[in-house]
């Protein structure tokens, strides 16, 4: 990955969010084009949750009963001149055959990344159908979410580097993974990097951890260091049983405009989108005077709730009494506080889960 590759991406950089469920899902290594198609799907899901509407004729999204159909220009994923258009065909075919897996203490989920795909020659357009089950996973923020820069992710050359980048973005606390957990997360067969029944830690480091770390070190605002965990941590010859991963923030690689917006959001109500302000004024009975005292709460809501308008609409629906009257704006503020607290607990849970 080079700085030149970053400048060739035909997309204005942005922070996007995806669910913590997705970032910890089992993912086998993908080709870079497969990876970029998936990133575009994540981008669409993120925009949909934020209520961002498409503003051009090249991109289209249809939310169907069973599938989400997404149309995009091929240039959204093919921006390296060394790649040819037949590479797109190979990537779509491979992605059509690839399974998405997630497992935790409550459930096991498996489905295809895409159900169908079409690449129309000479039009330069791709259409993919995404199963609603994976769309729901991308939109499931019950266990928290991760926010990361889209263009930095699009430029990463391996899906293992992307997985590390997404999970490290915004991470503040170290977390531990056993060797089995690390392999499972990265889609590495458990018998790989083993010899005579023992894990070859030197191979795992040389072929996975160090290359991924180097990729993130070179251009990403979030990278990591790691320490080997041993059966007996006081004995340097004791068998390695896992790794402690420690997040590292590299401010020099952070998009300064995105950082400015992020910092502004913490201090100014002006960050709140006009749609949110208009909805609260027109549908919920607020005015400037009644909004101002709750600036900090509303900024928290914008930062923590991926679909603020959807949450407000749900609150407005619950606000109405059976006799047609409505609870007052004080009740609305308390309801927003409740949603923010739930989001904070989910985020805290996601930070300490590993």
């Amino acid at each position: 990955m080079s700085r030149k590759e970053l400048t060739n991406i035909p997309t204005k950089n942005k922070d996007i969010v995806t669910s913590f469920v997705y970032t910890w899902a089992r993912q086998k290594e993908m080709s870079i084009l497969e990876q970029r198609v998936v990133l575009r799907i994540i981008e669409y899901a993120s925009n949909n949750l934020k209520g961002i509407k498409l503003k051009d004729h090249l991109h289209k999204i249809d939310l169907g009963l069973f599938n989400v159909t997404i149309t995009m220009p091929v240039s959204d994923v093919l921006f390296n001149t060394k790649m040819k258009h037949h590479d797109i065909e190979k990537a779509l075919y491979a992605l059509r055959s690839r399974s998405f897996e997630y497992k935790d203490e409550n459930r096991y989920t498996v489905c295809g990344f895409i159900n169908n795909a079409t690449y129309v020659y000479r039009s330069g357009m791709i259409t993919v159908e995404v199963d609603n089950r994976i769309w729901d996973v991308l939109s499931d923020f019950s266990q928290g979410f991760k926010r990361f820069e889209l263009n930095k992710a699009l430029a990463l050359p391996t899906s293992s580097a992307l997985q590390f980048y997404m999970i490290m973005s915004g991470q503040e606390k170290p977390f531990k993974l056993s060797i089995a957990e690390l392999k499972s997360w990265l889609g590495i067969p458990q018998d790989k990097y083993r010899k005579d029944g023992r894990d070859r830690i030197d191979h795992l480091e040389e072929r996975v951890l160090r290359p991924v770390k180097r990729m993130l070190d070179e251009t990403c605002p979030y990278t990591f260091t790691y320490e080997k965990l041993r059966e007996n941590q006081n004995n340097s010859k004791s068998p390695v049983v896992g790794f402690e991963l420690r997040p590292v923030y590299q401010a020099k690689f952070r998009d300064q405009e995105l950082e400015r917006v992020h910092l502004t959001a913490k201090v100014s109500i002006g960050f709140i989108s006009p749609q949110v302000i208009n909805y609260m004024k027109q549908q919920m009975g607020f005015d400037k005077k009644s909004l101002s005292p709750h600036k900090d709460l509303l900024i928290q809501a914008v930062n923590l709730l991926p679909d603020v308008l959807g949450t407000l609409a749900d609150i407005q629906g619950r606000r109405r009494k059976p006799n047609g009257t409505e609870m007052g704006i004080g009740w609305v503020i308390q309801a927003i506080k409740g949603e923010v607290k739930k989001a904070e607990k989910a985020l805290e849970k996601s930070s300490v889960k590993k």
Side-chain angles (χ1 to χ4, degrees):
M1 178 175 56
S2 66
R3 293 179 184 278
K4 184 177 180 180
E5 285 178 295
L6 286 171
T7 60
N8 286 338
I9 298 174
T11 304
K12 182 179 179 181
N13 199 16
K14 66 181 76 171
D15 281 332
I16 63 174
V17 294
T18 194
S19 71
F20 198 73
V21 172
Y22 179 77
T23 57
W24 277 113
R26 300 179 185 182
Q27 312 240 356
K28 294 180 180 179
E29 190 69 34
M30 295 182 180
S31 72
I32 190 170
L33 289 183
E34 289 178 84
Q35 177 177 306
R36 287 173 182 168
V37 172
V38 173
L39 277 168
R40 292 302 186 182
I41 293 171
I42 294 173
E43 178 189 9
Y44 273 84
S46 178
N47 288 347
N48 184 66
L49 285 169
K50 293 178 181 178
I52 298 174
K53 304 299 182 182
L54 299 176
K55 297 181 180 180
D56 61 66
H57 64 284
L58 296 177
H59 299 81
K60 184 179 180 181
I61 179 171
D62 291 316
L63 303 177
L65 184 61
F66 303 106
N67 297 307
V68 177
T69 303
I70 297 171
T71 301
M72 71 185 87
V74 69
S75 59
D76 276 4
V77 297
L78 187 68
F79 38 85
N80 186 330
T81 56
K82 294 181 181 179
M83 294 181 180
K84 305 300 180 182
H85 285 271
H86 70 264
D87 293 322
I88 288 290
E89 298 174 28
K90 291 170 58 178
L92 293 176
Y93 182 86
L95 201 56
R96 169 67 177 80
S97 307
R98 189 181 293 279
S99 294
F100 165 85
E101 288 185 278
Y102 176 77
K103 182 179 181 180
D104 59 24
E105 62 274 14
N106 298 316
R107 59 176 163 172
Y108 172 77
T109 298
V110 60
C111 62
F113 271 91
I114 59 176
N115 288 340
N116 299 294
T118 302
Y119 174 33
V120 180
Y121 298 128
R122 292 179 293 279
S123 75
M125 301 300 292
I126 303 170
T127 299
V128 296
E129 293 181 9
V130 182
D131 191 296
N132 274 346
R133 284 173 295 181
I134 193 169
W135 189 261
D136 290 343
V137 167
L138 295 175
S139 306
D140 180 4
F141 289 79
S142 62
Q143 296 186 45
F145 61 90
K146 284 292 181 177
R147 187 191 310 271
F148 60 93
E149 287 186 33
L150 175 62
N151 282 5
K152 299 294 175 64
L154 286 168
L156 288 169
T158 68
S159 54
S160 54
L162 173 62
Q163 286 175 261
F164 270 89
Y165 174 56
M166 287 194 297
I167 208 67
M168 290 299 170
S169 292
Q171 184 74 18
E172 296 180 353
K173 298 180 180 180
F175 57 90
K176 299 176 181 180
L177 288 176
S178 68
I179 294 174
E181 288 172 331
L182 178 65
K183 287 182 176 180
S184 178
W185 176 45
L186 297 176
I188 299 172
Q190 291 297 326
D191 60 355
K192 193 171 184 179
Y193 306 128
R194 288 177 66 88
K195 185 177 181 179
D196 299 329
R198 300 185 64 178
D199 288 295
R200 288 296 304 268
I201 303 304
D202 55 337
H203 288 181
L204 193 57
E205 287 185 281
E206 179 184 355
R207 299 171 189 178
V208 180
L209 290 175
R210 288 173 186 160
V212 165
K213 175 174 163 48
R214 184 169 59 252
M215 293 172 198
L216 270 58
D217 285 349
E218 289 175 354
T219 59
C220 291
Y222 292 95
T223 184
F224 66 98
T225 60
Y226 66 90
E227 180 182 352
K228 297 173 187 176
L229 301 175
R230 302 180 182 274
E231 286 184 358
N232 181 352
Q233 202 65 12
N234 296 321
N235 183 352
S236 61
K237 295 183 179 181
S238 179
V240 175
V241 294
F243 300 92
E244 180 175 87
L245 303 174
R246 299 168 178 171
V248 176
Y249 178 56
Q250 302 187 117
K252 64 181 179 180
F253 293 134
R254 173 63 167 148
D255 186 305
Q256 293 304 303
E257 176 60 22
L258 295 180
E259 183 66 7
R260 184 192 66 78
V261 172
H262 179 70
L263 293 175
T264 300
K266 296 181 178 181
V267 298
S268 173
I269 198 169
F271 175 78
I272 302 174
S273 70
Q275 293 91 335
V276 170
I277 296 297
N278 289 339
Y279 187 91
M280 296 189 72
K281 286 182 176 180
Q282 297 172 11
Q283 303 296 327
M284 307 182 94
F286 284 81
D287 55 24
K288 184 176 180 180
K289 183 177 180 180
S290 56
L291 283 171
S292 294
H294 307 292
K295 177 188 69 175
D296 292 340
L297 172 65
L298 298 178
I299 291 172
Q300 279 185 294
V302 169
N303 283 332
L304 292 172
L305 303 177
D307 183 12
V308 181
L309 288 175
T311 300
L312 291 176
D314 177 67
I315 290 173
Q316 181 67 1
R318 291 187 279 121
R319 181 186 184 187
R320 298 190 182 95
K321 296 180 180 180
N323 62 7
T325 60
E326 292 184 340
M327 303 295 288
I329 60 175
W331 182 92
V332 172
I333 293 298
Q334 291 304 314
I336 295 173
K337 286 181 179 179
E339 296 297 328
V340 167
K341 286 182 179 179
K342 285 194 292 185
E344 286 177 332
K345 288 181 179 178
L347 186 59
E348 181 180 357
K349 181 181 178 181
S350 73
S351 296
V352 301
K353 183 176 180 181
K354 293 292 179 181

